[in-house]
Amino acid sequence: MCGIAGAIWSDPRRAVRAEQLARMTEVLRHRGPDDDGSYRSELKHREVTASHPGVALGFRRLAIIDLQTGNQPICNEDESIWVVFNGEIYNYQSLRKRLEGSGHRFQTQGDAETIVHLYEESGVDCFAQLNGMFAIAIWDAKHRRLILARDRLGQKPLVYAHQPGRLAFASELKSLRELPDAKFDLSFTAIDAYLTYQYVPHPQTIYQGVSKLPPASFAVYQDDKLKIETYWQPDPNARFEGSEMEAVEQTKALLDDSIALRMQSDVPLGTFLSGGVDSSIIAARMQQASSNQIKTFSI
C-alpha cells in the first residue's frame, strides 16, 4: 500500500507550495513508511494560467517490487510525463516486453515505469490495458493536463476536490485537509447514505465539494475543465456455455492465474486467514504455487 497526493492549479492563490505538498504526503506515512518523493513545477518566466498551470505530485512508498530503483514520482526520458501511483500492475512484465519491442527504454525494474511508457504510446487508452489494482496520477506537460485513474473495481482509493482554479487529489481525505484554503463542510446527503447503506457510495464523500473518482474511470483536467470517462464495465449479458465440470476447471485456472500474478514480489509474502472458505482456498493455492512456506495471519 502506497499513498499519493497532489494538485494542478491555474490560480496562483491556490498554488500548492512545497511545504504544503510535504504535509499532504506526510499524513499518508502509514501507507508508505519506506520512502517519499515529490515533483513540483511552474513554468518559469510565465504567469500561471489555465493554459500554463502549476502542478505538484507527492508520494509515500511501501516497497514491494524493485526495492532499489522503484521510487516515485517517475518520468519518461525527456521529463514531459510524470507518474505517481498506488497499487500494483500484475501484467507489467508482459507490457514492458511489448513496449521495449516498440523502442521504449526502461531505467527501472518496477511496474510504475510501465505506466509512463504505456501512456506515451496509448494515451488515456492505456488504463484499459492494465491488469491490476491502482490509483494513478499522470502529469502530461506537453498537453498541460493532469489525468487521474482508478482500477476496475475501485480497490485503491482516490478522492479529489475540484474548485475554481485548482484540482487537488489524494489517496485519503486527511491529505486534502492539509490544504490551508480548503473548506470541509459535512455533506448531509452523504451522512444519510451512510446511515442507510453503512458506507458512502461514489462519487460522494462525507464532505461537500470532495468526490471519489468512480471505479473503472479516468479524469482529465485541462484548461480548468474536468472531464470524467469510464474505460471499462462488466458485460451483464455474458453467459458461460460449458458444462459444470468445465466451469469448475476454468474457475480453478483463473484463480491460480490471478494468485500467481499477485505473488510477484521482492519481499516476503503472506496471506490473511479469516477462517472462511475463500481465504482458505487462496492460502492453499498460494502454497501449491510456492516452493517456500507461506506465512498466514489471523487477526
Side-chain angles (χ1 to χ4, degrees):
M1 173 168 79
C2 299
I4 63 175
I8 180 173
W9 61 89
S10 59
D11 185 343
R13 294 169 299 180
R14 293 194 176 277
V16 175
R17 307 301 177 194
E19 62 275 13
Q20 294 166 353
L21 180 64
R23 290 199 298 271
M24 290 177 73
T25 54
E26 179 60 26
V27 297
L28 300 175
R29 174 182 285 271
H30 61 285
R31 300 183 67 92
D34 295 328
D35 191 38
D36 68 333
S38 64
Y39 169 79
R40 189 179 179 280
S41 175
E42 289 181 302
L43 295 178
K44 296 178 180 178
H45 312 302
R46 192 185 292 270
E47 185 180 354
V48 177
T49 63
S51 58
H52 296 92
V55 65
L57 304 175
F59 180 69
R60 289 293 324 187
R61 186 185 187 204
L62 178 66
I64 303 294
I65 294 175
D66 190 13
L67 305 185
Q68 300 303 317
T69 63
N71 297 335
Q72 298 179 42
I74 189 167
C75 63
N76 62 344
E77 295 89 338
D78 65 3
E79 299 188 1
S80 62
I81 296 170
W82 288 82
V83 167
V84 287
F85 106 102
N86 164 35
E88 190 172 351
I89 307 302
Y90 302 129
N91 63 334
Y92 81 97
Q93 291 180 337
S94 60
L95 289 171
R96 177 182 177 130
K97 188 176 296 185
R98 191 191 86 200
L99 290 164
E100 287 177 329
S102 299
H104 293 272
R105 295 291 173 261
F106 286 73
Q107 304 300 316
T108 73
Q109 298 301 314
D111 50 354
E113 193 177 6
T114 302
I115 301 170
V116 174
H117 294 294
L118 191 62
Y119 175 79
E120 275 189 299
E121 186 165 283
S122 303
V124 293
D125 292 335
C126 71
F127 305 119
Q129 302 175 50
L130 299 176
N131 177 359
M133 52 176 182
F134 53 82
I136 300 171
I138 301 174
W139 164 238
D140 182 341
K142 288 181 179 177
H143 296 94
R144 301 190 183 103
R145 63 182 185 178
L146 181 76
I147 297 127
L148 305 177
R150 198 171 175 208
D151 61 72
R152 286 168 175 77
L153 297 182
Q155 186 171 351
K156 290 301 180 182
L158 190 57
V159 295
Y160 65 89
H162 183 203
Q163 304 156 322
R166 184 177 68 198
L167 176 75
F169 67 90
S171 295
E172 297 184 22
L173 291 168
K174 66 176 68 175
S175 186
L176 296 180
R177 288 182 61 92
E178 293 299 316
L179 294 169
D181 58 346
K183 290 181 62 179
F184 289 91
D185 296 325
L186 287 176
S187 165
F188 293 105
T189 302
I191 292 174
D192 181 67
Y194 178 77
L195 294 174
T196 302
Y197 305 115
Q198 297 298 293
Y199 76 103
V200 179
H202 68 77
Q204 299 179 78
T205 71
I206 202 68
Y207 295 124
Q208 297 179 34
V210 183
S211 303
K212 300 172 188 170
L213 184 67
S217 299
F218 66 88
V220 178
Y221 184 84
Q222 188 173 26
D223 295 331
D224 270 349
K225 296 175 183 176
L226 181 66
K227 183 179 181 182
I228 298 175
E229 296 186 30
T230 299
Y231 65 83
W232 175 86
Q233 58 184 6
D235 181 3
N237 299 313
R239 293 291 183 270
F240 183 77
E241 302 296 341
S243 66
E244 182 179 353
M245 184 55 66
E246 288 171 331
V248 169
E249 292 303 318
Q250 186 169 331
T251 300
K252 249 188 223 179
L254 289 169
L255 182 63
D256 286 345
D257 181 61
S258 68
I259 288 173
L261 286 171
R262 285 157 177 77
M263 290 177 68
Q264 301 174 94
S265 176
D266 294 328
V267 295
L269 283 168
T271 186
F272 287 116
L273 275 178
S274 66
V277 173
D278 51 356
S279 65
S280 299
I281 290 173
I282 290 170
R285 305 308 285 186
M286 279 182 71
Q287 187 59 73
Q288 188 174 57
S290 176
S291 57
N292 300 317
Q293 182 91 23
I294 293 295
K295 294 182 178 180
T296 60
F297 302 86
S298 295
I299 299 176

